[in-house]
């Protein structure tokens, strides 16, 4: 937790990339065209994070609730993930990006699972930006699975229930080991979390913009960083306690 002198650059940014469908509808295009157009800003934001020295980036690509969309749209999104991963991997590798996927892999097809596992293993030794992609991810499920794992450890006699504290719980959720997100960005105008990182966003600065994800470019990202740099994070303390001595 950062207190006192405020770091101006977030170490970890979490993003809900929303608004692809509306971007396409505004152009008389099918929703799939909006998802396709959403690839370029992913590239841009990864590049910006690398250049600026942001340590970790977590992107919400597909929620556990998105399975309820029409099958054609879900199928298109899965094909897009499969293709994009193959196309982008060499560039990510070259830029020393380390990739990790969070979410329910069992709900995904075998080909996608395999490509995700390959992307993780081939980038595991990279020391650049840590990139997490949330696919078939739900924040409540993340918490439930962590509780289940801790309960199982108790049942095996490896853990005392009284030893379960916030640090131990944090070590059992999907983003274990990463600093908590300092900045949350949601594009597309909605001001909600949509079951994203419920455990991890407890003290994250929230930034909402009406810009639709396919239009989210480097200047739009810079505005989000400027918003972050202007916030005073107090973590429960008074403003006076936070003032630099
Ligand atoms: C976000 O854009 C992408 C996914 C949820 C996969 P949307 O598809 O939700 O776009 P809108 O919100 O309908 O415009
Ligand atoms: C959240 O966007 C999920 C992703 C961006 C992957 P949604 O468009 O699914 O969220 P709701 O349904 O508007 O809350
Ligand atoms: Mg949406």
């Amino acid at each position: 937790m950062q207190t006192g002198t405020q770091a101006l650059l977030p170490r970890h940014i979490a993003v809900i990339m929303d608004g692809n469908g509306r971007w396409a509808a505004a152009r008389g295009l099918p929703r799939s065209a909006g998802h396709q157009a959403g690839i370029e800003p992913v590239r841009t934001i990864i590049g910006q994070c690398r250049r600026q020295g942001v340590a970790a980036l977590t992107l919400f690509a597909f929620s556990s609730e998105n399975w309820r969309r029409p099958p054609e749209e879900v199928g298109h999104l899965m094909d897009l993930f499969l293709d994009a991963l193959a196309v982008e991997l060499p560039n990510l590798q070259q830029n020393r990006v380390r990739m990790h996927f969070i979410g329910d892999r069992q709900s995904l097809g075998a080909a996608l699972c395999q490509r995700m596992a390959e992307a993780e293993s081939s980038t595991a030794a990279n020391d650049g930006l840590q990139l997490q992609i949330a696919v078939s991810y739900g924040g409540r499920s993340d918490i439930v699975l962590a509780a289940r794992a801790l309960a199982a450890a108790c049942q095996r006699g490896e853990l005392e229930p009284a030893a379960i504290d916030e640090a131990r719980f944090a070590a059992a959720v999907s983003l274990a080991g990463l600093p908590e997100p300092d900045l949350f960005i949601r594009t597309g105008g909605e001001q909600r979390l949509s079951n994203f990182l419920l455990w991890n966003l407890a003290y994250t600065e929230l930034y909402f913009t009406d810009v639709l994800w396919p239009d989210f470019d480097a200047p739009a990202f810079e505005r989000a960083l400027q918003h972050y740099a202007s916030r005073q994070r107090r973590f429960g303390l008074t403003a006076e306690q936070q003032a630099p001595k």
Side-chain angles (χ1 to χ4, degrees):
M1 187 183 288
Q2 288 174 341
T3 56
T5 308
Q6 159 87 44
L8 293 181
L9 186 72
R11 283 169 305 172
H12 182 179
I13 302 178
V15 187
I16 297 188
M17 309 181 287
D18 195 21
N20 296 350
R22 280 163 285 164
W23 183 93
R27 287 161 179 75
L29 298 170
R31 292 178 61 82
S32 57
H35 296 315
Q36 184 70 50
I39 302 278
E40 184 60 32
V42 172
R43 241 179 250 136
T44 304
I45 296 331
I46 290 172
Q48 288 299 314
C49 284
R50 279 184 37 244
R51 269 187 285 282
Q52 308 230 20
V54 173
L57 175 67
T58 300
L59 302 175
F60 205 3
F62 191 87
S63 75
S64 43
E65 289 72 29
N66 289 147
W67 289 111
R68 301 204 295 247
R69 292 192 177 194
E72 309 78 52
E73 180 168 349
V74 171
H76 171 83
L77 279 164
M78 295 300 145
D79 290 346
L80 190 64
F81 296 150
L82 198 61
D83 288 351
L85 209 45
V87 172
E88 302 300 328
L89 193 58
N91 192 34
L92 294 170
Q93 189 68 276
Q94 203 182 350
N95 288 309
R96 308 205 57 73
V97 174
R98 183 174 166 183
M99 284 192 88
H100 179 55
F101 292 88
I102 61 171
D104 175 21
R105 294 196 198 199
Q106 284 176 356
S107 60
L108 305 172
L112 182 55
C113 279
Q114 194 185 338
R115 202 159 283 177
M116 283 162 49
E118 284 165 7
E120 286 179 336
S121 57
S122 65
T123 63
N126 289 349
D127 55 8
L129 175 71
Q130 296 208 33
L131 175 64
Q132 290 64 237
I133 315 259
V135 184
S136 193
Y137 176 87
R140 284 185 174 171
S141 167
D142 196 351
I143 291 171
V144 166
L145 293 176
R148 198 185 288 170
L150 293 170
C154 289
Q155 197 175 37
R156 291 193 301 271
E158 297 164 10
L159 183 65
E160 284 295 322
I164 299 173
D165 56 11
E166 290 188 19
R168 209 175 274 268
F169 205 96
V173 298
S174 296
L175 294 186
L178 286 170
E180 299 297 14
D182 299 301
L183 173 63
F184 162 95
I185 300 172
R186 182 172 187 147
T187 63
E190 308 296 351
Q191 302 200 1
R192 54 180 172 247
L193 297 182
S194 299
N195 201 17
F196 197 26
L197 304 163
L198 299 181
W199 171 269
N200 312 80
L201 295 176
Y203 252 112
T204 302
E205 295 297 323
L206 306 179
Y207 177 77
F208 298 96
T209 170
D210 289 337
V211 173
L212 303 173
W213 179 252
D215 292 328
F216 195 72
D217 54 8
F221 181 66
E222 194 51 45
R223 285 196 291 278
L225 290 183
Q226 277 166 13
H227 167 90
Y228 176 78
S230 75
R231 308 311 305 158
Q232 188 195 35
R233 304 184 78 188
R234 289 192 284 277
F235 299 105
L237 306 182
T238 66
E240 290 70 28
Q241 285 175 297
Q242 290 289 73
K245 301 215 167 59

